[in-house]
Amino acid sequence: MKNSKILYILCSGDVEMNIQINEVLYKTLFSKIDNIAFVDLKIKYKNFNNKNHSFVNNSYNYKTLSINTISELSKLLKQDCVIFSLCSHTPKDWIVFFLAKIYKTKIVYQNSLGETVKVNVNAGSVSRIHSFLKVFKPIKFLSLTYAALAKLGVFQNIDTFYTTENYLEVKYKNNKSFNRVKVVNSKFYDSFLENKNSITDEYIVFIDSNIPSHKDQVRMGFVPMDRSYYYCKLNLLFTSLEEITSKKVVICLHPKYDEKNLKQDFPNNLAVKYKSDLYIPKASLVLFHESSLINYALIYNKKLIQLTSKKFNDFVSENIKSWSNAINAPQLEFDNDLTKNKLMKILQKHNNNGYKNFFDSSIIGSGFEGELGSNQILNDIQNYYKIK
């Protein structure tokens, strides 16, 4: 009898963007599983016409279903299916976890990015009153509300949690929110194995974190750094580095950076999106604040400098601190009137003492070097959930 169980990749954000940031995984799943589709979840509380649609991405036809009403979502979750969740835990997506609980639909969730950032809103530099206000900002309150409702059984638990960080397997072993925890290799490692990009040292690469415009810090109640100040100081640093090294600085833009601002923000540099895996292997030096894309630089063992500032808000500073604790890269206050001598001194540093430990624990956390994390997920889904 033919297996009819379906794998639905449920996405409440931009489907195409999600494919682009984890391309190897979706290429693997769609090439090996017959019963699979993306679900573009856009719940509207009014009736309107909708059509199922598909689009082409890198020569793969990814079947994509549009779900626009709660009724349509209910019909989908009633099927013999497993949900691969790309949804958030914010209220707009709570209906997914609520209905999944009612229909006993299995949910799997992936965190295979090798990210270490854990934002601590109660940073030591914040006053007690300020800390209290930060904790009870709406986003934090909603997160705590979700966790409480999940514990009460209102929402469906995650059946399988795929993570790249091997310490989480022990940490979550007895966590009732996850029925299973499976450690897989990072998506950055997948890209490294699949693409086999040429390795040179012709550029300096800056990994953009969209510091003045990143909405997460605003949601948490923090005021972003002044845009004009940030880009002025950053471009002065780039100019100095190019003069010293005779190498061009290439900007690897954050996925949510608004490219209409390019001429104003980065007037003298090549700036690219979704090409970090192409340019980081060609870097002699990688500059960053805090970004999961630094995984590529670690895989290629590139020289790193972490750019800091005393004017960053606590949200950004804590993320920077998390990465510093994880890999211990040399740091530079990019807005502190740098002289050429100071820059030359920092350029001579290459402290990679923390790289190997991070590589082993968070990039190939499964312990199996040379294996695609995408294949590890595929094999687990096919064997455990019997989806072919």
Side-chain angles (χ1 to χ4, degrees), residues 210-300:
N210 205 20
I211 293 292
S213 305
H214 204 294
K215 292 181 180 179
D216 285 352
Q217 58 189 317
V218 178
R219 292 192 189 103
M220 294 289 285
F222 294 92
V223 178
M225 177 180 274
D226 179 75
R227 185 182 194 89
S228 298
Y229 175 85
Y230 174 76
Y231 287 111
C232 175
K233 294 295 185 180
L234 202 57
N235 283 301
L236 285 173
L237 172 65
F238 294 162
T239 299
S240 296
L241 287 172
E242 288 180 341
E243 288 175 357
I244 292 171
T245 65
S246 299
K247 295 181 179 183
K248 297 297 291 181
V249 174
V250 175
I251 316 298
C252 289
L253 295 168
H254 188 276
K256 293 186 178 180
Y257 176 84
D258 190 343
E259 289 171 275
K260 73 181 182 184
N261 296 319
L262 267 179
K263 288 184 179 180
Q264 179 181 346
D265 296 341
F266 299 113
N268 305 312
N269 300 95
L270 171 65
V272 296
K273 251 187 190 181
Y274 305 118
K275 293 184 179 179
S276 305
D277 58 330
L278 251 168
Y279 281 94
I280 290 175
K282 297 178 181 179
S284 62
L285 171 66
V286 177
L287 309 170
F288 75 109
H289 298 301
E290 42 89 14
S291 169
S292 60
L293 290 177
I294 204 63
N295 281 270
Y296 283 131
L298 295 170
I299 290 170
Y300 289 101

Side-chain angles (χ1 to χ4, degrees), residues 167-185:
Y167 79 93
L168 291 180
E169 185 174 28
V170 176
K171 180 179 178 180
Y172 291 147
K173 186 175 182 180
N174 298 315
N175 189 316
K176 293 182 180 179
S177 297
F178 309 109
N179 297 332
R180 303 170 69 230
V181 179
K182 299 289 291 184
V183 182
V184 298
N185 290 343

Side-chain angles (χ1 to χ4, degrees), residues 17-247:
M17 181 184 291
N18 274 283
I19 290 173
Q20 287 172 326
I21 63 177
N22 207 347
E23 194 174 332
V24 177
L25 173 65
Y26 302 123
K27 182 179 73 173
T28 300
L29 294 179
F30 274 84
S31 65
K32 299 296 184 181
I33 297 176
D34 293 328
N35 298 323
I36 184 172
F38 268 100
V39 177
D40 188 5
L41 186 63
K42 297 288 185 290
I43 297 292
K44 304 289 184 182
Y45 295 94
K46 60 182 180 180
N47 293 323
F48 66 102
N49 295 326
N50 65 284
K51 295 180 180 179
N52 291 345
H53 62 278
S54 62
F55 60 87
V56 177
N57 182 275
N58 285 347
S59 302
Y60 278 81
N61 290 308
Y62 293 141
K63 182 180 179 182
T64 304
L65 310 177
S66 294
I67 296 294
N68 302 303
T69 67
I70 293 175
S71 175
E72 290 172 355
L73 179 60
S74 296
K75 289 178 183 177
L76 182 132
L77 295 177
K78 283 180 183 178
Q79 299 177 43
D80 186 11
C81 66
V82 173
I83 298 299
F84 194 114
S85 175
L86 303 182
C87 297
S88 69
H89 288 164
T90 55
K92 72 182 180 72
D93 293 336
W94 284 2
I95 189 65
V96 173
F97 300 97
F98 176 70
L99 291 176
K101 178 72 175 181
I102 292 175
Y103 300 122
K104 299 180 180 178
T105 310
K106 301 288 188 184
I107 297 177
V108 302
Y109 179 81
Q110 180 203 16
N111 176 30
S112 63
L113 300 182
E115 295 180 74
T116 65
V117 174
K118 309 287 190 298
V119 177
N120 174 15
V121 294
N122 297 313
S125 60
V126 185
S127 70
R128 289 185 178 182
I129 294 175
H130 197 199
S131 298
F132 179 83
L133 292 173
K134 288 285 185 290
V135 168
F136 287 97
K137 284 292 177 182
I139 191 69
K140 184 70 175 179
F141 175 75
L142 292 172
S143 178
L144 293 172
T145 302
Y146 175 88
L149 291 172
K151 286 183 179 179
L152 290 172
V154 175
F155 298 139
Q156 178 70 306
N157 289 336
I158 302 300
D159 192 58
T160 301
F161 177 63
Y162 297 112
T163 179
T164 187
E165 298 183 89
N166 55 22
Y167 79 93
L168 291 180
E169 185 174 28
V170 176
K171 180 179 178 180
Y172 291 147
K173 186 175 182 180
N174 298 315
N175 189 316
K176 293 182 180 179
S177 297
F178 309 109
N179 297 332
R180 303 170 69 230
V181 179
K182 299 289 291 184
V183 182
V184 298
N185 290 343
S186 167
K187 73 139 187 170
F188 300 101
Y189 190 62
D190 281 11
S191 180
F192 164 73
L193 292 176
E194 284 280 281
N195 296 331
K196 297 180 173 61
N197 292 314
S198 59
I199 303 172
T200 66
D201 62 355
E202 57 193 289
Y203 300 111
I204 294 173
V205 170
F206 171 64
I207 301 176
D208 175 41
S209 294
N210 205 20
I211 293 292
S213 305
H214 204 294
K215 292 181 180 179
D216 285 352
Q217 58 189 317
V218 178
R219 292 192 189 103
M220 294 289 285
F222 294 92
V223 178
M225 177 180 274
D226 179 75
R227 185 182 194 89
S228 298
Y229 175 85
Y230 174 76
Y231 287 111
C232 175
K233 294 295 185 180
L234 202 57
N235 283 301
L236 285 173
L237 172 65
F238 294 162
T239 299
S240 296
L241 287 172
E242 288 180 341
E243 288 175 357
I244 292 171
T245 65
S246 299
K247 295 181 179 183

Side-chain angles (χ1 to χ4, degrees), residues 125 225 229 307-314 317 320 332-336:
S125 60
M225 177 180 274
Y229 175 85
L307 304 183
T308 67
S309 171
K310 290 178 181 176
K311 294 190 177 183
F312 281 150
N313 61 43
D314 292 314
S317 295
I320 286 175
L332 177 68
E333 278 188 58
F334 75 99
D335 57 343
N336 193 20

